[in-house]
Amino acid sequence: MQIFRHFHQAAHHPLAVAIGNFDGVHLGHQALLRRLIEVAAAQGLKSAVMTFEPHPREFFAPDKAPTRLTSLREKLELFAEAGVDYVYVCHFNRRFAAITVEAFMQDILRNALDARAILVGEDFRFGAGRQGSMQDFARGGFNLQSQPQINLDGKRVSSTAIREALAQGRLVEAARLLGRSYSISGKVVHGDKLARELGYPTANIHMLHDRPPLFGIYAVKLEGLAEGGDWPGVASLGVRPTVKQDGKPTLEAHLFDFNGDIYGRHVRVKFMHKIRDEMKFDSLDTLKYWIAKDAEMAREYFRANP
């Protein structure tokens, strides 16, 4: 998969283009991506995704924007797994936001990308002031295909519904809407080694999420270890109020019965079950007691869910 950040970096192939934010790459997004691949193959085109960075709502109202389900890197990983040929990452700024409906269709889609087929969700809007709609694509002569919303158990599959489920600890529901366990990926980096001193060494994962959609203590699985397969453990995602004052979210995972060196490894932490909310303790001894208790509860979860 090739990644472009400028439209002049043309793919030199006529394209079928799916357009959207794709936060979470959930079941609805996956259906659109499958259709993209099918349309491209049927019409002899290359498949491409156009997505935006940052999310337009983060640009216009950063204090009110929803938490992200996936970082840009995580989205790109999922696009690659879906079999997409090209991704255009559009830098969403004031200049991009001011592009007219006509300029977006003619200058970008037709002239720069040679888009022969356009695929969007049924509520997609584009152009300055979100004035453009699917009717504009049709009037512009594009082969337009819209993806109807996906419903699961009577609920619309959406990034909003997934955020709500994660925030409330309903991981099974979130996984059903995503089509996979919710995960956060990142590089294993060195931490302050406090957990090691307490007898529970952790893998510290560098997150690209400034505001993750969930906090607390979880039973997790780590994907990406050289030993193969997913490795069970217990993880803390929070601001570490017992030992830190800066309030910066940190993701630490203690792997059960694991002794390997994984510093520098890019891993994916899959959140399987919420154990409890994060708490502030009055001493390190109390913290150590709760870490042991959390680890045992996570082991019990995996014993019941092998």
Side-chain angles (χ1 to χ4, degrees):
M1 185 180 80
Q2 289 183 269
I3 301 167
F4 301 119
R5 291 183 177 270
H6 301 283
F7 294 121
H8 68 264
Q9 297 173 318
H12 302 299
H13 295 280
L15 301 177
V17 182
I19 310 172
N21 291 307
F22 296 95
D23 188 26
V25 194
H26 55 56
L27 288 179
H29 298 141
Q30 293 166 35
L32 182 62
L33 294 175
R34 285 194 298 271
R35 195 168 178 187
L36 168 69
I37 303 298
E38 292 169 358
V39 168
Q43 299 184 19
L45 307 172
K46 293 290 187 179
S47 61
V49 168
M50 180 188 295
T51 192
F52 310 102
E53 183 65 25
H55 190 294
R57 292 174 67 180
E58 292 178 0
F59 174 77
F60 286 114
D63 294 337
K64 298 180 181 179
T67 57
R68 282 206 192 191
L69 297 174
T70 43
S71 67
L72 175 59
R73 174 167 181 158
E74 289 164 340
K75 282 200 293 186
L76 295 175
E77 291 171 350
L78 292 166
F79 291 154
E81 291 174 11
V84 173
D85 294 316
Y86 305 112
V87 176
Y88 283 87
V89 180
C90 303
H91 179 49
F92 197 92
N93 53 20
R94 198 162 299 282
R95 180 179 179 183
F96 190 88
I99 295 174
T100 65
V101 170
E102 188 65 22
F104 184 80
M105 292 192 300
Q106 297 302 321
D107 297 343
I108 295 177
L109 295 179
R110 194 181 302 282
N111 297 335
L113 301 187
D114 194 12
R116 305 292 177 86
I118 305 296
L119 295 92
V120 294
E122 61 182 7
D123 58 353
F124 181 74
R125 309 287 296 187
F126 68 99
R130 303 184 75 246
Q131 295 179 2
S133 66
M134 290 185 288
Q135 287 73 24
D136 292 290
F137 283 132
R139 284 194 292 270
F142 288 96
N143 174 6
L144 175 68
Q145 302 198 30
S146 65
Q147 175 64 42
Q149 71 179 37
I150 302 294
N151 293 296
L152 191 64
D153 299 331
K155 175 179 288 189
R156 181 189 180 191
V157 175
S158 69
S159 299
T160 298
I162 295 166
R163 289 188 196 98
E164 291 175 355
L166 291 173
Q168 296 171 18
R170 304 196 310 270
L171 297 189
V172 172
E173 178 182 341
R176 284 176 53 77
L177 298 172
L178 284 164
R180 65 186 186 281
S181 298
Y182 180 72
S183 64
I184 292 177
S185 65
K187 181 185 291 188
V188 178
V189 297
H190 289 277
D192 57 17
K193 305 295 191 297
L194 175 61
R196 182 179 298 276
E197 294 175 10
L198 296 176
Y200 293 88
T202 59
N204 295 269
I205 291 86
H206 175 67
M207 294 192 299
L208 298 176
H209 296 253
D210 294 328
R211 296 183 300 132
L214 74 176
F215 285 90
I217 312 302
Y218 297 87
V220 301
K221 292 182 178 180
L222 250 70
E223 175 188 313
L225 304 184
E227 289 71 15
D230 293 344
W231 203 282
V234 60
S236 168
L237 175 50
V239 297
R240 305 176 70 201
T242 304
V243 297
K244 291 290 185 179
Q245 302 297 323
D246 60 12
K248 182 179 180 181
T250 301
L251 175 56
E252 301 174 280
H254 170 67
L255 304 179
F256 298 143
D257 309 313
F258 182 83
N259 296 310
D261 182 358
I262 57 173
Y263 287 116
R265 189 80 51 81
H266 188 82
V267 299
R268 184 177 292 179
V269 182
K270 300 177 180 178
F271 295 83
M272 310 304 297
H273 172 71
K274 184 170 184 178
I275 297 173
R276 63 173 175 86
D277 291 332
E278 186 177 40
M279 297 185 291
K280 183 176 182 178
F281 303 112
D282 56 8
S283 69
L284 291 181
D285 286 339
T286 305
L287 174 61
K288 182 177 180 179
Y289 166 82
W290 276 93
I291 292 174
K293 188 173 182 178
D294 297 335
E296 181 53 34
M297 291 186 71
R299 286 182 182 273
E300 288 181 6
Y301 168 80
F302 287 118
R303 284 193 289 267
N305 300 272

